[in-house]
Amino acid sequence: MAACAEKTAQLATQANACPSQRDLLKSAHRLIGERIRPVYAVNDEQPASVTLARGRGSCSQRMAVLEAVARAHGMATRVRGRVIDGTFWYPRFPRLRAVVPADVILAWPEFLIERTWVPISELYDGLCLTTGFTNSGAETLFEAITRTAVDWDGASSPSCDLSANVRADLGYFNSRDELFRTHGQTLCPPARWLADPVLSLHSA
């Protein structure tokens, strides 16, 4: 816990020159993208300190680091839980579709900025100015928010609307830990123990 606080505080300090909380989070997001390599890890409850120490993490794990940075800087965070159709990940795993879970639980972070809850997808204004996120190639959800809307609610143009992939809205939780305690992770513990050591070494 102390190591996590120290490392997240360091990231917050490096982003601290930003003129606003939103700018600080955007700067921290960029730093995390530069320092933590995207991989196919599956443990959504991995501590931010472990992700920082390893220098690699999944989208969910890197988002957890950004949440930790926000809290280290005095910003409240929460997550909105959604159940995403497993077929959404088929383009990323074309040869492994048979082992992709039917339902994937996603913790989508939100940050309290100037008394308003801002989803991570709106840190960069969430404008759909380019093609939407396709979940294929090198770009992950974590990187996609810098250039396009990641719209789970169907509020943007059809090219950025991902709402058809949402099977259920689980609501808001004070933390991702609370979400996963309530609904569990996508993979059961034995599956995570077997898959994570292998997948966490492979770049996304």
Side-chain angles (χ1 to χ4, degrees), residues 29 59-60 63-64 67 77-84 88-89 105-111 117-123 133 140-146 148-153 162 169-173 175-176 179-180:
H29 178 268
C59 278
S60 180
M63 289 178 190
E67 293 167 51
T77 67
R78 68 182 185 184
V79 299
R80 185 173 176 182
R82 292 183 177 89
V83 179
I84 308 299
F88 178 67
W89 273 267
I105 297 178
L106 178 68
W108 200 244
E110 297 191 0
F111 308 90
W117 285 106
V118 178
I120 189 171
S121 48
E122 296 179 13
L123 283 181
F133 178 67
T140 71
L141 280 169
F142 187 85
E143 285 82 25
I145 65 168
T146 65
T148 189
V150 178
D151 175 18
W152 301 111
D153 297 310
L162 299 175
D169 186 343
L170 302 177
Y172 293 98
F173 297 82
S175 69
R176 63 181 50 241
L179 166 64
F180 294 123

Side-chain angles (χ1 to χ4, degrees), residues 33-84:
E34 292 170 1
R35 298 184 181 185
I36 302 178
R37 179 168 59 91
V39 295
Y40 292 121
V42 294
N43 181 10
D44 287 321
E45 293 183 284
Q46 176 171 289
S49 58
V50 174
T51 303
L52 284 165
R54 290 179 175 176
R56 63 180 190 274
S58 67
C59 278
S60 180
Q61 291 167 350
R62 289 182 293 158
M63 289 178 190
V65 173
L66 185 60
E67 293 167 51
V69 170
R71 292 191 297 271
H73 203 72
M75 280 179 268
T77 67
R78 68 182 185 184
V79 299
R80 185 173 176 182
R82 292 183 177 89
V83 179
I84 308 299

Side-chain angles (χ1 to χ4, degrees), residues 74-145:
M75 280 179 268
T77 67
R78 68 182 185 184
V79 299
R80 185 173 176 182
R82 292 183 177 89
V83 179
I84 308 299
D85 193 322
T87 60
F88 178 67
W89 273 267
Y90 279 3
R92 194 166 289 281
F93 301 101
R95 299 180 181 178
L96 298 173
R97 291 183 177 183
V99 299
V100 174
D103 297 323
V104 175
I105 297 178
L106 178 68
W108 200 244
E110 297 191 0
F111 308 90
L112 189 60
I113 301 175
E114 298 175 355
R115 301 183 181 181
T116 300
W117 285 106
V118 178
I120 189 171
S121 48
E122 296 179 13
L123 283 181
Y124 294 85
D125 299 326
L127 298 177
C128 191
L129 300 177
T130 60
T131 57
F133 178 67
T134 61
N135 210 7
S136 61
E139 184 181 63
T140 71
L141 280 169
F142 187 85
E143 285 82 25
I145 65 168

Side-chain angles (χ1 to χ4, degrees), residues 158-176:
S159 64
C160 294
D161 181 3
L162 299 175
S163 61
N165 299 289
V166 179
R167 287 192 165 189
D169 186 343
L170 302 177
Y172 293 98
F173 297 82
N174 291 327
S175 69
R176 63 181 50 241

